[in-house]
Amino acid sequence: MSISRERISALLAAGFLAAGLSGCATSTTANGNTPNGAARRGSSTAAGTVTVFAAASLKATFTKIASEFEAANPGTKVTLNFAGSSDLATQISQGAPADVFAAADTKNMAKLSDANLIDGTARNFATNVLEIAVPPANPASIRSFADLAKPGLKVVVCAPQVPCGSATEKVEQATGTTLKPVSEESSVTDVLGKVTSGEADAGLVYVTDVRNAGGKVKGITFSESDQAVNTYPIATVGSSRNKELAKAFIAMVTGSEGRKVLSDAGFGTP
């Protein structure tokens, strides 16, 4: 059976069109991402570096999440920078190269958002509350938040501008207790360090910090902690050079994998 020249031309045109569509469906950009830049879970096409600025209290959990993200997206690298949320917000506002910002409170996130330094809207992904950290033997016999006001007690807290410091002030106001700390630290990990090194009788940190410290400290819970629940937001930084990869990392933090890591560490849901 003969085929007309017009029929052959039509078949060839259809073949070229199908090949073109197939090529579009599988093509990648120069940096290895899919055309819209989105990292694909478990895919080798996602590539590049995402720099994450995160609150000090997220160090253990974000280190684990970053490892899972890199494993799920071969070719990617997550660079982590941990510090007090207020310090990180200042660094970003001064032009520090960051793709993602995860704060330990909404106040510091709002500072960047109000300055138009955040891309889109931040997402709340976790909550945390304070707990008293003391040496394992608890030599000062601390039993309550009010005990922290005992004369001569060496208490360490976060500075007021740091989320854990702001939470401490809220609890003081709610309980009518005034603390006289021997030092105010720039991050919650610094507070914990003072306790574990024996430089303080007690420190106000987060529940998650006590859990992560293992047997290095003993945790003293107090009912008034619910007066100062800290909510953790996360967002893409406006100046990010890899926004799609940043969004993919945020998706993991807020997704089932991230929620499990955070829950296991003692974080609450927002």
Side-chain angles (χ1 to χ4, degrees), residues 95-254:
D99 298 302
V100 175
F101 178 42
D105 67 347
T106 55
K107 181 180 179 181
N108 281 289
M109 181 65 76
K111 289 179 182 178
L112 297 188
S113 180
D114 292 344
N116 296 317
L117 297 176
I118 293 300
D119 186 48
T121 303
R123 296 182 62 181
N124 297 332
F125 66 95
T127 57
N128 217 344
V129 294
L130 295 176
E131 186 169 358
I132 302 168
V134 299
N138 191 13
S141 300
I142 296 170
R143 299 284 182 269
S144 66
F145 185 83
D147 285 346
L148 298 179
K150 290 179 179 179
L153 196 69
K154 292 185 292 183
V155 178
V156 180
V157 301
C158 290
Q161 68 270 21
V162 183
C164 57
S166 177
T168 297
E169 289 188 331
K170 290 179 182 178
V171 176
E172 287 183 85
Q173 294 169 4
T175 61
T177 303
T178 300
L179 304 183
K180 296 181 179 180
V182 294
S183 71
E184 296 180 340
E185 305 299 324
S186 61
S187 73
V188 70
T189 51
D190 290 338
V191 174
L192 190 66
K194 293 284 188 179
V195 178
T196 57
S197 66
E199 297 178 62
D201 297 314
L204 277 167
V205 298
Y206 294 117
V207 169
T208 52
D209 296 300
V210 172
R211 181 179 295 192
N212 188 56
K216 294 180 180 179
V217 297
K218 177 180 180 180
I220 308 295
T221 60
F222 55 98
S223 60
E224 299 92 343
S225 65
D226 62 6
Q227 299 297 312
V229 179
N230 275 19
T231 298
Y232 287 58
I234 189 169
T236 302
V237 177
S239 60
S240 168
R241 294 183 178 181
N242 202 341
K243 291 185 179 180
E244 294 305 326
L245 199 58
K247 291 175 182 177
F249 180 81
I250 291 174
M252 177 169 278
V253 171
T254 57

Side-chain angles (χ1 to χ4, degrees), residues 34-45:
T34 51
N36 63 3
R40 294 188 294 166
R41 178 164 176 75
S43 169
S44 60
T45 61

Side-chain angles (χ1 to χ4, degrees), residues 14-80:
F16 285 130
L17 177 60
L21 290 174
S22 176
C24 290
T26 59
S27 65
T28 58
T29 61
N31 65 3
N33 290 339
T34 51
N36 63 3
R40 294 188 294 166
R41 178 164 176 75
S43 169
S44 60
T45 61
T49 298
V50 58
T51 301
V52 179
F53 280 32
S57 54
L58 292 167
K59 186 173 183 178
T61 52
F62 268 41
T63 298
K64 185 173 183 178
I65 291 173
S67 178
E68 292 185 1
F69 184 81
E70 291 175 345
N73 298 283
T76 63
K77 178 176 176 55
V78 181
T79 299
L80 299 168

